[in-house]
Amino acid sequence: MATISELIQKLETFAPFSYQESYDNSGLIVGNYGQKITSAIITLDTTEEIVDEAIENGANLIISHHPIIFRGLKTLTGKNYVERTIIKAIKNNIAILAVHTNLDNILEGVNSEICKKLNLKNCKILLPKGEILKKLVTFVPEKSAEQVKNEIFKAGAGNIGNYDSCSFNTVGNGTFRANEKANPYVGEINKIHTEQEVRIETIFPAHKERQIINSLLKSHPYEEVAYDIYKLENKLTTVGSGMIGELENSMKELDFLKVIKKEFEVGAIKHTKLFGKKIKKVALCGGAGSFLLKNAMREKADIFISGDFSYHQFFDAENKITIADIGHYESEQYTKQLLLNFIKKNFTTFDSQISKINTNPIQYF
Ligand SMILES: [Zn+2]
């Protein structure tokens, strides 16, 4: 039987939790990491009804896109649905795991599902994320350099776009003096030694730091390994918010809105005034994506599809782009299938299913 910890480790290879936004609370919210999973329910939101459904189905894990605890709790008295949901889950030994903005921010995540539904081509991230890349510099005696480099590449360093094994290498002289307690690989005790070394520079995603440093320490021949880690501000084009892509053939605005309404079963689309122009470039973001409107305009998208636009934000379109607010829940609904596919592909020891409850709190009349 798989444990929650094993599930989380697998998720780290798909949607690393370090890719979540700073305000988010993705990860295990209720439960123990060592708990063995009997069965899981997949949902966009965790509510009391979802906990009831888990109880009825003998499931002891709820995998939820939105974290039920978002800004912290000061009491657990049951005075609101959040507290009652948590209490019920704990009383029934049901764990709650949130996979939220880390799933929004990957190439094959929430937004690529929307791209697929709309048959968009050439999709890329709308706002690439910074500060997730780091640089490793280490100094290795020449004859061990290739081996050490290969080990840190194997652990996940040196990938840039479609290239792997990326590094920069310069040869120079390293110096050191070992004291009596040392057991030096080269050189003599109490004598300054000069060794020809290679300075290896490479980059890596921050969440792989531990495994890369472990490989470095294991494969490096020295007793004391010299290395530096730098934080980088570079943006990673494969991680970030929203997506932009193109329709194969441009469509009239209204025809495209009809396609969206049908594909996403939207009760009503809230949109800005139509200009009678053709739609070709489509920007989108599942959930509350209005913060990306400027990015969509900068990329010269013809339309921006998202949820949760407020009245004043519709003015910000400045007649330059069509905003289509298709609803928060509606835009993210295919996320459940995405999570289910991931679980089914990687775990055969527990059953998982999408919740039968529509948790959308918004109804249309
Ligand atoms: Zn959302």
Side-chain angles (χ1 to χ4, degrees):
M1 258 179 155
T3 61
I4 290 176
S5 176
E6 283 161 354
L7 169 60
I8 288 174
Q9 276 170 36
K10 207 56 184 177
L11 273 165
E12 285 287 355
T13 65
F14 170 57
F17 284 91
S18 58
Y19 288 178
Q20 69 180 288
E21 297 299 330
S22 55
Y23 58 79
D24 194 15
N25 192 29
S26 287
L28 188 61
I29 289 179
V30 172
N32 300 311
Y33 289 93
Q35 182 175 316
K36 291 192 164 75
I37 307 168
T38 56
S39 166
I41 294 269
I42 297 164
T43 179
L44 280 188
D45 307 281
T46 314
T47 59
E48 284 176 274
E49 292 75 28
I50 297 288
V51 179
D52 287 333
E53 189 184 17
I55 297 167
E56 279 161 32
N57 286 282
N60 66 353
L61 173 65
I62 293 168
I63 302 171
S64 178
H65 183 50
H66 296 132
I68 176 80
I69 300 179
F70 204 54
R71 290 186 184 84
L73 287 177
K74 287 205 167 180
T75 57
L76 260 183
T77 57
K79 68 176 177 296
N80 57 37
Y81 87 94
V82 173
E83 294 186 7
R84 286 192 299 276
T85 303
I86 302 287
I87 292 168
K88 192 175 255 185
I90 293 171
K91 277 186 175 170
N92 290 281
N93 287 320
I94 292 169
I96 302 172
L97 174 69
V99 189
H100 189 210
T101 51
N102 53 320
L103 194 59
D104 289 328
N105 283 342
I106 56 169
L107 262 187
E108 292 298 318
V110 174
N111 295 316
S112 76
E113 290 303 297
I114 304 174
C115 289
K116 280 180 210 158
K117 286 284 161 197
L118 297 173
N119 279 322
L120 300 183
K121 311 281 173 243
N122 309 322
C123 292
K124 58 173 190 148
I125 299 280
L126 185 56
L127 176 60
K129 199 168 164 60
E131 298 185 346
I132 42 179
L133 279 176
K134 286 188 175 182
K135 181 169 199 164
L136 170 68
V137 175
T138 185
F139 308 86
V140 189
E142 233 179 344
K143 65 176 180 184
S144 304
E146 279 307 303
Q147 191 220 337
V148 171
K149 209 160 44 179
N150 287 335
E151 288 304 313
I152 54 179
F153 286 159
K154 254 193 256 170
N159 294 313
I160 304 176
N162 291 325
Y163 296 81
D164 62 21
S165 310
C166 302
S167 69
F168 189 81
N169 305 271
T170 32
V171 178
N173 290 326
T175 65
F176 46 83
R177 176 163 60 192
N179 70 21
E180 300 79 28
K181 290 178 194 153
N183 178 23
Y185 169 73
V186 280
E188 288 171 47
I189 302 289
N190 285 329
K191 265 194 175 167
I192 290 185
H193 177 80
T194 302
E195 179 73 19
Q196 201 162 69
E197 293 174 348
V198 180
R199 173 190 164 106
I200 303 171
E201 301 178 36
T202 187
I203 59 163
F204 63 92
H207 71 277
K208 291 191 174 162
E209 181 166 329
R210 201 160 43 158
Q211 65 203 67
I212 288 166
I213 298 305
N214 281 344
S215 311
L216 168 67
L217 298 180
K218 249 192 213 162
S219 58
H220 199 293
Y222 285 0
E223 204 172 16
E224 299 292 346
V225 178
Y227 66 92
D228 309 319
I229 292 172
Y230 299 88
K231 269 191 181 172
L232 298 181
E233 289 187 11
N234 304 36
K235 304 241 186 279
L236 196 53
T237 52
T238 51
V239 180
S241 315
M243 277 195 138
I244 184 160
E246 286 174 0
L247 288 168
E248 188 130 48
N249 300 306
S250 51
M251 286 176 85
K252 281 186 186 154
E253 284 165 317
L254 195 60
D255 290 341
F256 188 51
L257 289 181
K258 281 178 188 164
V259 170
I260 300 172
K261 195 160 191 233
K262 189 163 160 272
E263 281 295 331
F264 291 83
E265 296 171 22
V266 188
I269 297 179
K270 286 198 274 183
H271 62 86
T272 46
K273 207 189 286 173
L274 301 182
F275 315 118
K277 63 165 187 178
K278 293 270 179 101
I279 302 285
K280 174 83 175 163
K281 235 179 178 183
V282 180
L284 53 92
C285 180
S290 60
F291 68 101
L292 291 169
L293 179 64
K294 277 199 175 65
N295 303 83
M297 289 167 82
R298 211 170 288 148
E299 295 285 329
K300 302 220 168 3
D302 299 306
I303 189 166
F304 182 42
I305 306 166
S306 191
D308 284 357
F309 277 90
S310 68
Y311 177 79
H312 293 284
Q313 286 171 327
F314 281 91
F315 286 103
D316 296 336
E318 301 271 12
N319 293 326
K320 289 191 180 114
I321 190 170
T322 306
I323 292 175
D325 185 335
I326 68 168
H328 192 128
Y329 183 94
E330 287 82 354
S331 68
E332 291 183 328
Q333 60 187 304
Y334 299 110
T335 306
K336 292 179 277 186
Q337 189 63 44
L338 175 71
L339 282 166
L340 183 72
N341 294 346
F342 167 81
I343 305 270
K344 293 274 185 207
K345 193 174 140 203
N346 292 289
F347 295 92
T348 50
T349 53
F350 66 90
D351 182 42
S352 49
Q353 61 189 77
I354 291 174
S355 162
K356 293 186 177 59
I357 299 166
N358 180 335
T359 55
N360 191 359
I362 297 169
Q363 305 283 311
Y364 301 95
F365 178 68

